[in-house]
Amino acid sequence: MERVILIKYGELTTKKGNRNFFVKTLYENIRHKLQKYHVNIVKEPARMFIEFDESELEEILETINHIFGIHMYHVAYKVPTDLSVIKEEVIKILKNENFKTFKVETKRSDKSFPIKSLEMNPLLGGEILKTIKDVAVDVHDPDLLLHLEIRPHFSYIYTNAYHGLGGYPVGTQPRGMLMLSGGIDSPVAGYLALKRGIKLDAVYFEAIPHTSIEARNKVLDLAKKLVNYTDEIVVHIVPFTKIQETIYKESNPAYCITIMRRMMYRIMERLALKRKAKAIINGESIGQVASQTLNSMAVINEVTSMPVIRPVACLDKLEIIELAKAIDTYDISILPFEDCCTIFVPKHPVINPSLEECLKIEKRFDFKKLIDETLDEIKTIKISDLQETEQKYQELL
Ligand code: ATP
Ligand code: MG
């Protein structure tokens, strides 16, 4: 008997006018991710069906578990829409299942099929009771729930149900620029932004020779993990050394981080405009460190009018760690290479910075020129799910 993967969209179906766009984007994303497998994907307004090769099922399901926009999915038997065939196949399927109680749930999308859903349930139930020994109906808490979806031409029978990742298909929102450091928080922030359908570029600020190539490669490895959930991520590597050294020369130590982050945000905004991105995304979490108190955030955020999305702003560190483990970035994030923030952290960073003081410090050097020069020297690397990128990491050196 042929099996197919039956995909339910969930939250997508609430997007009335935009629904076609959401479903089409999901379809394209699934098609892209499954292109190396022998599949045929059929898109319908409320369902998607993937015909597959049984030998590839496990890998295909693993891939599907990384695609946003899928609410639930089932591995279903596909049978001709014919009452006697349906009855026969249901019995065949249930003979391989281990259960004492069951319930039948029918959904009839093919209104030309002569038997209504509510009549089909007892009809099939009776057939099961008659043929399979020692089983009983339990409509409240059955061991086994048998689903039958009656559709034109073919019907689908399944007893399993798997949760997809949920969220919206990546690409249903415009691009966002993720500030990706080597820490635990920013990859999780990137994952959560992808979950809302935002397509991502990543930006990494490095301060060679104060930071190492290993630190950069760690960020690229994190981007690669995020690519599991999207098709590609362009990583912009910003040479930040000169700006940082200038800040440390011109600013009093307590304000170094505040000024540094204002510079980062300015560069982020410029890059966003260049990439037609509509938001800056980062891993800031309220109160986590001095630069992430609400007072600090307000003073840092003052340099841009672009939306700054902070997906982990209200999560505890332990909640962020749990997510980092689930998306497999945690083990990379805890590798010991320091990034530019950790190296320059002063002993007593200001937790309640004044905007006037920031503006005063920033008058001491020509930061606009420094930013222009820095933008000219940015290197980019495209991390794609289709090709190996190690070689390219080397070419960047
Ligand atoms: P941790 O997980 O240890 O907190 P972190 O990466 O979150 O590490 P923070 O100092 O808390 O480090 O920085 C807050 C946010 O600012 C990061 O989540 C990230 O989005 C951004 N950021 C910090 N440093 C960099 C950097 N070198 N390059 C790009 N983004 C950075
Ligand atoms: Mg952090």
Side-chain angles (χ1 to χ4, degrees):
M1 220 184 311
E2 188 190 346
R3 295 202 295 173
V4 300
I5 301 164
L6 188 163
I7 288 175
K8 293 180 182 165
Y9 311 139
E11 204 178 340
L12 289 194
T13 52
T14 59
K15 301 272 140 217
K16 286 190 190 79
N18 276 337
R19 187 169 147 156
N20 280 348
F21 170 62
F22 277 74
V23 172
K24 189 164 173 284
T25 307
L26 177 62
Y27 170 75
E28 295 297 346
N29 292 353
I30 293 177
R31 213 171 59 143
H32 173 87
K33 284 288 184 192
L34 295 183
Q35 61 190 288
K36 67 174 171 181
Y37 301 108
H38 301 88
V39 292
N40 180 36
I41 308 167
V42 180
K43 163 170 73 81
E44 290 188 10
R47 298 268 184 276
M48 216 175 290
F49 299 94
I50 303 175
E51 296 166 3
F52 58 88
D53 183 318
E54 285 285 344
S55 68
E56 296 175 337
L57 179 62
E58 211 171 301
E59 279 181 52
I60 291 171
L61 293 184
E62 176 62 21
T63 308
I64 282 180
N65 284 332
H66 288 82
I67 299 176
F68 288 118
I70 298 174
H71 172 65
M72 292 289 287
Y73 65 89
H74 313 273
V75 182
Y77 291 92
K78 180 180 175 185
V79 302
T81 299
D82 173 297
L83 183 59
S84 60
V85 180
I86 291 174
K87 276 191 200 163
E88 205 176 296
E89 300 298 351
V90 161
I91 297 301
K92 259 196 229 160
I93 293 164
L94 293 194
K95 278 196 167 148
N96 292 322
E97 300 272 353
N98 192 5
F99 65 101
K100 285 270 166 258
T101 56
F102 72 96
K103 177 185 177 184
V104 179
E105 232 169 60
T106 306
K107 189 170 161 20
R108 187 181 60 135
S109 324
D110 176 10
K111 300 295 176 207
S112 71
F113 189 77
I115 304 165
K116 292 196 176 116
S117 301
L118 288 180
E119 294 162 6
M120 195 67 184
N121 293 338
L123 195 150
L124 270 183
E127 194 71 21
I128 295 166
L129 290 171
K130 208 167 69 190
T131 333
I132 300 180
K133 291 213 162 37
D134 301 328
V135 296
V137 173
D138 179 347
V139 290
H140 301 295
D141 186 25
D143 298 341
L144 180 134
L145 191 56
L146 178 89
H147 290 268
L148 168 67
E149 291 203 12
I150 302 171
R151 305 175 67 86
H153 311 299
F154 290 100
S155 294
Y156 300 87
I157 304 166
Y158 53 89
T159 56
N160 54 43
Y162 304 101
H163 284 286
L165 270 189
Y168 295 132
V170 175
T172 51
Q173 294 290 335
R175 193 180 300 279
M177 303 300 281
L178 171 68
M179 300 171 72
L180 185 60
S181 64
I184 294 166
D185 305 328
S186 50
V188 172
Y191 166 83
L192 292 172
L194 287 167
K195 186 170 187 180
R196 283 355 278 166
I198 299 173
K199 207 159 160 54
L200 286 187
D201 270 22
V203 182
Y204 169 59
F205 294 83
E206 71 176 4
I208 285 174
H210 310 294
T211 61
S212 61
I213 292 297
E214 284 81 2
R216 174 203 286 177
N217 285 345
K218 180 177 154 183
V219 171
L220 295 176
D221 286 344
L222 288 170
K224 221 159 127 187
K225 287 286 177 194
L226 289 178
V227 164
N228 281 333
Y229 300 91
T230 180
D231 56 350
E232 62 176 42
I233 292 177
V234 174
V235 184
H236 307 260
I237 300 168
V238 182
F240 206 46
T241 315
K242 202 159 167 203
I243 293 182
Q244 260 190 330
E245 286 176 352
T246 308
I247 295 170
Y248 281 83
K249 210 165 76 208
E250 303 295 349
S251 164
N252 50 325
Y255 270 76
C256 279
I257 295 282
T258 315
I259 303 293
M260 182 188 83
R261 295 194 69 80
R262 283 167 61 91
M263 296 300 158
M264 283 182 170
Y265 272 40
R266 288 181 171 112
I267 291 174
M268 290 304 296
E269 186 185 72
R270 293 279 294 275
L271 275 171
L273 289 173
K274 196 168 139 197
R275 294 286 289 161
K276 298 193 170 56
K278 296 291 182 277
I280 296 167
I281 296 153
N282 67 34
E284 290 174 345
S285 180
I286 298 165
Q288 194 184 79
V289 288
S291 62
Q292 292 168 33
T293 62
L294 275 189
N295 283 324
S296 279
M297 281 185 187
V299 169
I300 292 165
N301 214 149
E302 188 267 344
V303 300
T304 179
S305 58
M306 181 166 274
V308 179
I309 311 286
R310 301 172 176 90
V312 302
C314 300
L315 298 188
D316 288 345
K317 192 77 187 184
L318 285 178
E319 293 170 315
I320 301 173
I321 288 175
E322 205 175 301
L323 276 168
K325 287 182 175 164
I327 64 171
D328 205 24
T329 53
Y330 182 75
D331 289 341
I332 301 173
S333 293
I334 58 172
L335 293 173
F337 313 112
E338 301 199 89
D339 85 4
C340 62
C341 291
T342 39
I343 282 175
F344 288 96
V345 171
K347 273 211 182 73
H348 302 291
V350 61
I351 50 172
N352 194 1
S354 107
L355 179 58
E356 288 67 38
E357 182 63 20
C358 291
L359 297 174
K360 215 167 88 192
I361 294 167
E362 287 171 356
K363 281 216 177 78
R364 294 183 196 146
F365 59 101
D366 189 351
F367 69 83
K368 288 197 178 112
K369 183 162 158 260
L370 275 177
I371 286 177
D372 284 339
E373 285 169 7
T374 302
L375 283 164
D376 283 342
E377 283 166 28
I378 287 175
K379 292 185 187 129
T380 61
I381 174 169
K382 191 188 281 177
I383 312 259
S384 141
D385 56 357
L386 294 180
Q387 77 224 41
E388 278 308 313
T389 39
E390 264 57 294
Q391 175 77 27
K392 287 205 176 157
Y393 285 19
Q394 292 307 316
E395 284 166 18
L396 273 172
L397 294 178

